[in-house]
Amino acid sequence: LLLFVLFRLRNKLHKSNIQLNKLVIEKENLVKEIHHRVKNNLQVISSLLSVQSRYIKDEKALETINESMERVNAISILHQEIYQNEVLRAINAKNYFENLSKGLQQTFDPDKKVDLHLGLDDIMTDVDQLIPLGLIVNELLTNAYKYGITNTAPSIWLTVQQSDNRIRINVRDNGIGFGETIPGTGGTSLGYKLINMFTTKLKGKLIVKNNN
């Protein structure tokens, strides 16, 4: 009798595990589909901004619209990474930053006149961390393309490295430099404020250097 009861309990547990695994898979697929739809919606927003920009004559307003498009695209690329990833919480930062930087290169330098150097560690990162990190890198690379390619042989570098459970991101160029006198790179610019805001959110540290 005891063996019979144990056998029935084991069968019930086995069926319960199968049902639980099925529910987990269905939930993960549903979450992925949500991210996919979010990505599509963000692309619609980006397209609407692109259409709107065609009717804007003011250069400053047009620049603002284009910058907003790049920020939307930075988030859209991340949702695409989540959708394609097998594990929902941990995303490969290397793939994301590579796609992000190549997307910005296509926008600002389609003819690839600027040498883009990438040094990206293979890092698995939490989604909640990767969104602000992606927006920080988006702002820094955008500034580098807009203001840092004054050199006769312009180059931009992006390195993302992990050491002692900390991530170090380095964006640099060989252009005119960074400071209050350089358009768009001063402490009062929106991009600089966003970088500071997201750095604070991540409990990070921002270091600005003007070396060569």
Side-chain angles (χ1 to χ4, degrees):
L1 180 62
L2 179 61
L3 288 173
F4 176 73
V5 171
L6 288 174
F7 180 76
R8 290 196 65 181
L9 283 173
R10 191 185 72 170
N11 281 348
K12 285 184 178 180
L13 285 172
H14 180 66
K15 289 179 181 178
S16 296
N17 285 334
I18 291 174
Q19 290 176 338
L20 283 173
N21 288 333
K22 186 178 178 181
L23 287 172
V24 168
I25 293 171
E26 287 177 353
K27 181 183 175 182
E28 288 182 349
N29 288 335
L30 179 60
V31 172
K32 284 187 177 184
E33 182 61 28
I34 290 171
H35 282 292
H36 185 58
R37 293 189 181 190
V38 170
K39 189 261 306 183
N40 289 343
N41 289 337
L42 288 169
Q43 287 183 334
V44 169
I45 294 170
S46 181
S47 297
L48 289 172
L49 289 171
S50 178
V51 171
Q52 183 67 40
S53 67
R54 298 171 192 171
Y55 299 93
I56 296 175
K57 304 300 180 184
D58 183 85
E59 289 188 6
K60 190 65 178 177
L62 183 60
E63 181 181 349
T64 302
I65 289 288
N66 289 334
E67 288 176 353
S68 297
M69 285 172 55
E70 292 307 323
R71 289 168 188 142
V72 170
N73 287 334
I75 302 173
S76 175
I77 292 170
L78 177 56
H79 282 284
Q80 179 65 18
E81 288 292 325
I82 297 170
Y83 174 69
Q84 293 177 338
N85 204 55
E86 291 184 3
V87 183
L88 293 176
R89 294 297 299 174
I91 305 300
N92 192 314
K94 179 179 180 179
N95 292 343
Y96 172 61
F97 285 124
E98 185 172 341
N99 290 331
L100 178 62
S101 57
K102 293 294 177 64
L104 289 168
Q105 182 186 48
Q106 186 62 35
T107 298
F108 293 103
D109 183 35
D111 297 328
K112 297 183 179 179
K113 296 179 181 179
V114 181
D115 285 332
L116 177 63
H117 306 273
L118 301 177
L120 308 173
D121 282 359
D122 225 346
I123 304 170
M124 299 305 290
T125 313
D126 185 87
V127 173
D128 294 334
Q129 289 182 321
L130 203 51
I131 290 175
L133 285 174
L135 289 169
I136 288 172
V137 170
N138 181 78
E139 296 300 323
L140 292 172
L141 285 177
T142 297
N143 268 355
Y145 274 112
K146 288 172 66 177
Y147 309 110
I149 55 174
T150 54
N151 197 292
T152 53
S155 291
I156 294 173
W157 292 263
L158 167 63
T159 58
V160 180
Q161 300 169 319
Q162 186 174 36
S163 177
D164 299 326
N165 292 322
R166 295 175 68 86
I167 295 175
R168 180 182 178 89
I169 295 175
N170 190 328
V171 178
R172 63 189 178 98
D173 58 66
N174 58 355
I176 196 170
F178 189 102
E180 294 291 343
T181 59
I182 312 301
T185 64
T188 58
S189 70
L190 175 60
Y192 191 81
K193 288 179 179 178
L194 287 173
I195 292 167
N196 267 304
M197 182 179 72
F198 290 127
T199 301
T200 302
K201 175 182 172 62
L202 292 164
K203 296 181 174 62
K205 183 178 180 181
L206 176 65
I207 301 171
V208 181
K209 294 182 180 180
N210 276 318
N211 298 335
N212 301 316

